[in-house]
C-alpha cells in the first residue's frame, strides 16, 4: 500500500512538471489567445492555492493558526485578515485559496489591461518570479495591492497620486517593505536621464557607506574586550540587520545582474523605436509611455542596492517589478500590430529574436540567481511542483 501511494504521488509530481512545460511553451506560441491566458491563470492558481511544504509554508501556517499569540510579529491589516478568516471557520488552506485567487486576478487584470500578449507575460511570470511569490504569500499579497495602485499610476488620470499612495499605505499594512514602492512615482516627475544620474550617484554613495559599515561591524563582532562582540552578536541576531559583508555583496551582485539584463532588453526596444520613429505615431504613444515609465521605475529602485545592508528583503522590490518589465517588453508586439507590420524585413526579424531571447534571459537569470543556484531549488522550485495537495495522490 505504501509503495502504491508513493508511485501515485510521484506520478502526480511528474504530471505537474509536464503540464508546466506544455503550458509555458503554449503561452509563448499563443501569446494573444484569451483562452490560453485563462488556462494559464487557472493553472497558476492551482499551483499557488494548493501548495504546501515550501520554505515559508510552516511560518505562514503557524501565524495563521496562532494569530492571537503572534499578532505582534505581523502587520495590522494582515492580522485583521487572519482574524476574519479564522472567525469564518476557514483553515489556512481555505485562506490560501482565496488570497491566491485575489493575487493572481490583480496581476492578471493589470497585464490584460496593458497588453494583448497576456499569455506571453504569464509565461515569463511563471518562469520567474512565480515560485518565489508562492513562497512569500504575505509580501505577494501586499504587492498585488500595489499593482492595483499601478493602474492609477500608469493611467495618470485625476487624483492618480493620491489613489496610488492610498494603495501603498494599504499594502504597507500587509507587508511593511512595500512602502518602498513609493519610489515608482519618481519617473512621473523626473526625466529618465536625470533620474538615472541621480539614482546611480545615490546608490554609489549608499553602497560605499554601508559597505564600510558592514566591514567595520564584521570586525567588531570578533572583539572579545568587555564582551563587545558577544553583546553585538545578540543585538544583530535579534534585529533584521544583515551586517555580513559577503552576504550583502552577494545580494547586490544579483540585483545588478538582473538589472543589467533588463536594461539590455530596454535598449533593444529603444533602438527599434528610434529606427522606426515609433514615438511620432499618435496611436502608439501610450505604448512608448508605458515603456518609458517602466524603465524609470527600474531606475528609481537602484539606491535600494545600497540599503541591502539594513534589510536584505529589499531585493523583493526589484522582484515585484518583473511583471511590469514583461508587459513593457510585450509592448513591442503590440506596437508592431498597430503599425501593421505583416511583412518582416531581416532587421525586424532580428529585433524580434533578440527581444524574445532577451526577455527569457531576464526571467531565467532571476530564476537561476535567486532560486536554482541555492537551497531554494528544493524549498521553493521543487516544492512548487512536488508539493501540491491536488496532485499528491496518496
Amino acid at each position: 500500500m505504501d509503495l502504491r501511494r508513493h508511485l501515485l504521488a510521484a506520478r502526480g509530481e511528474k504530471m505537474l512538471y509536464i503540464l508546466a512545460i506544455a503550458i509555458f511553451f503554449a503561452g509563448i506560441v499563443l501569446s494573444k489567445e484569451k483562452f490560453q491566458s485563462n488556462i494559464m491563470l487557472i493553472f497558476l492558481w492551482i499551483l499557488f492555492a494548493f501548495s504546501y511544504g515550501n520554505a515559508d509554508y510552516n511560518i505562514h501556517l503557524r501565524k495563521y493558526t496562532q494569530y492571537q499569540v503572534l499578532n505582534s510579529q505581523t502587520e495590522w491589516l494582515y492580522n485583521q485578515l487572519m482574524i476574519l478568516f479564522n472567525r469564518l471557520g476557514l483553515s489556512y488552506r481555505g485562506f490560501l485559496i482565496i488570497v491566491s485567487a485575489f493575487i493572481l486576478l490583480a496581476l492578471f487584470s493589470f497585464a490584460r489591461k496593458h497588453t494583448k500578449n497576456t499569455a506571453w507575460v504569464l509565461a515569463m511570470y511563471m518562469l520567474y518570479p512565480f515560485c518565489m511569490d508562492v513562497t512569500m504569500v504575505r509580501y505577494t499579497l501586499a504587492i498585488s495591492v500595489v499593482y492595483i495602485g499601478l493602474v492609477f499610476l500608469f493611467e495618470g488620470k485625476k487624483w492618480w497620486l493620491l489613489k496610488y499612495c492610498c494603495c501603498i499605505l494599504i499594502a504597507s499594512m500587509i507587508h511593511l517593505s512595500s512602502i518602498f514602492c513609493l519610489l515608482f512615482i519618481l519617473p512621473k516627475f523626473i526625466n529618465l536621464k536625470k533620474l538615472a544620474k541621480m539614482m546611480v550617484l545615490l546608490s554609489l554613495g549608499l553602497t560605499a557607506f554601508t559597505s564600510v559599515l558592514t566591514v567595520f561591524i564584521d570586525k567588531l563582532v570578533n572583539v572579545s574586550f568587555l564582551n563587545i562582540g558577544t553583546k553585538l552578536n545578540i543585538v544583530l541576531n535579534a534585529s533584521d540587520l544583515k551586517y555580513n559583508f559577503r552576504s550583502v555583496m552577494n545580494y547586490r551582485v544579483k540585483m545588478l545582474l538582473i538589472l543589467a539584463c533588463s536594461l539590455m532588453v530596454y535598449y533593444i526596444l529603444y533602438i527599434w523605436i528610434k529606427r522606426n520613429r515609433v514615438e511620432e505615431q499618435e496611436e502608439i504613444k501610450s505604448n512608448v509611455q508605458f515603456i518609458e515609465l517602466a524603465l524609470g521605475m527600474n531606475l528609481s529602485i537602484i539606491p535600494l542596492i545600497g540599503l541591502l545592508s539594513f534589510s536584505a528583503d529589499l531585493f523583493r522590490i526589484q522582484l515585484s517589478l518583473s511583471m511590469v518589465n514583461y508587459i513593457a517588453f510585450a509592448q513591442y508586439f503590440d506596437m508592431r500590430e498597430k503599425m501593421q507590420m505583416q511583412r518582416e524585413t531581416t532587421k525586424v526579424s532580428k529585433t524580434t529574436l533578440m527581444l524574445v531571447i532577451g526577455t527569457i534571459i531576464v526571467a531565467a537569470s532571476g530564476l537561476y540567481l535567486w532560486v536554482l543556484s541555492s537551497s531554494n531549488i528544493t524549498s521553493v522550485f521543487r516544492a512548487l511542483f512536488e508539493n501540491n495537495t491536488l496532485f499528491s495522490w496518496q
Side-chain angles (χ1 to χ4, degrees):
M1 183 63 71
D2 289 339
L3 178 60
R4 183 173 179 272
R5 288 179 178 177
H6 180 74
L7 290 173
L8 285 173
R11 189 182 300 173
E13 294 165 7
K14 289 181 180 179
M15 182 177 291
L16 270 180
Y17 280 116
I18 294 170
L19 279 174
I21 294 170
I23 288 174
F24 173 77
F25 283 107
I28 293 176
V29 176
L30 306 172
S31 61
K32 293 193 296 183
E33 296 295 331
K34 289 184 178 180
F35 175 77
Q36 175 61 26
S37 61
N38 290 333
I39 290 294
M40 295 188 74
L41 177 65
I42 294 170
F43 181 68
L44 292 175
W45 176 71
I46 290 172
L47 286 177
F48 200 149
F50 299 96
S51 63
Y52 70 93
N54 58 51
D56 291 350
Y57 181 82
N58 288 331
I59 296 173
H60 293 301
L61 176 62
R62 183 166 171 262
K63 283 185 176 181
Y64 185 80
T65 55
Q66 302 179 34
Y67 68 94
Q68 293 174 318
V69 180
L70 304 174
N71 59 358
S72 62
Q73 299 180 14
T74 313
E75 283 80 353
W76 179 83
L77 184 54
Y78 192 75
N79 268 325
Q80 298 307 306
L81 289 173
M82 290 192 295
I83 291 171
L84 172 63
F85 284 106
N86 269 286
R87 287 180 178 174
L88 291 173
L90 289 177
S91 64
Y92 179 66
R93 176 62 57 201
F95 172 78
L96 190 58
I97 287 171
I98 294 172
V99 165
S100 59
F102 175 83
I103 290 169
L104 291 172
L105 283 173
L107 297 177
F108 179 75
S109 299
F110 182 80
R112 176 162 282 185
K113 184 178 181 64
H114 293 285
T115 180
K116 292 182 178 179
N117 293 274
T118 311
W120 160 263
V121 171
L122 290 179
M124 295 302 107
Y125 173 65
M126 186 167 72
L127 183 59
Y128 173 83
F130 176 64
C131 60
M132 297 186 71
D133 282 353
V134 172
T135 303
M136 306 181 300
V137 176
R138 184 163 60 91
Y139 177 77
T140 310
L141 178 59
I143 289 304
S144 67
V145 177
V146 172
Y147 267 82
I148 293 173
L150 287 178
V151 172
F152 305 118
L153 179 66
F154 278 94
E155 284 181 347
K157 295 181 180 179
K158 190 176 181 180
W159 305 110
W160 70 266
L161 182 58
L162 178 62
K163 293 174 182 176
Y164 180 70
C165 289
C166 286
C167 288
I168 297 300
L169 178 62
I170 294 170
S172 67
M173 290 190 287
I174 298 173
H175 199 291
L176 187 58
S177 63
S178 58
I179 197 75
F180 286 95
C181 292
L182 283 172
L183 291 170
F184 296 164
I185 67 174
L186 290 179
K188 296 284 283 188
F189 301 101
I190 307 172
N191 69 64
L192 290 180
K193 288 184 179 179
K194 188 175 181 180
L195 181 65
K197 292 177 182 178
M198 289 174 56
M199 296 299 103
V200 169
L201 289 174
L202 182 58
S203 179
L204 290 174
L206 288 171
T207 301
F209 172 73
T210 55
S211 295
V212 171
L213 186 63
T214 52
V215 170
F216 173 71
I217 292 180
D218 277 349
K219 300 292 184 184
L220 200 60
V221 294
N222 296 317
V223 175
S224 59
F225 180 68
L226 296 177
N227 291 324
I228 290 175
T230 303
K231 293 176 181 178
L232 185 59
N233 265 316
I234 293 172
V235 173
L236 294 177
N237 288 333
S239 70
D240 189 40
L241 300 179
K242 309 296 181 183
Y243 283 119
N244 181 287
F245 184 77
R246 284 188 177 181
S247 63
V248 170
M249 287 306 297
N250 181 41
Y251 273 58
R252 284 174 176 160
V253 169
K254 288 179 178 180
M255 284 189 69
L256 284 171
L257 286 173
I258 293 171
L259 176 64
C261 291
S262 300
L263 292 180
M264 174 187 69
V265 182
Y266 278 108
Y267 181 72
I268 293 171
L269 273 173
Y270 173 79
I271 295 298
W272 182 80
I273 288 171
K274 289 298 180 182
R275 284 180 177 174
N276 291 276
R277 298 181 179 179
V278 171
E279 68 273 19
E280 298 176 6
Q281 302 184 39
E282 191 65 33
E283 69 276 13
I284 294 177
K285 277 189 176 180
S286 60
N287 302 91
V288 177
Q289 288 171 355
F290 187 100
I291 293 169
E292 290 177 345
L293 184 51
L295 172 58
M297 290 164 67
N298 282 270
L299 297 175
S300 67
I301 64 168
I302 292 177
L304 297 183
I305 296 173
L307 294 175
L308 286 170
S309 298
F310 296 98
S311 178
D313 285 347
L314 291 177
F315 86 91
R316 297 179 181 185
I317 306 300
Q318 185 186 59
L319 180 147
S320 65
L321 273 179
S322 298
M323 180 71 83
V324 171
N325 286 334
Y326 299 148
I327 296 171
F329 302 156
Q331 299 302 308
Y332 167 77
F333 303 108
D334 294 333
M335 289 187 290
R336 280 182 50 79
E337 184 177 346
K338 288 180 180 179
M339 295 169 68
Q340 296 180 338
M341 287 186 170
Q342 300 297 331
R343 294 179 302 170
E344 283 204 18
T345 63
T346 305
K347 181 173 63 176
V348 172
S349 178
K350 286 182 178 178
T351 301
T352 303
L353 183 62
M354 287 191 297
L355 191 130
V356 169
I357 294 174
T359 305
I360 293 174
I361 288 174
V362 170
S365 63
L367 180 66
Y368 175 77
L369 291 170
W370 291 117
V371 182
L372 301 184
S373 64
S374 68
S375 60
N376 286 336
I377 189 173
T378 300
S379 60
V380 175
F381 183 77
R382 289 183 59 187
L384 179 66
F385 299 103
E386 298 177 14
N387 298 337
N388 190 284
T389 56
L390 286 187
F391 288 82
S392 295
W393 300 330
Q394 299 182 23

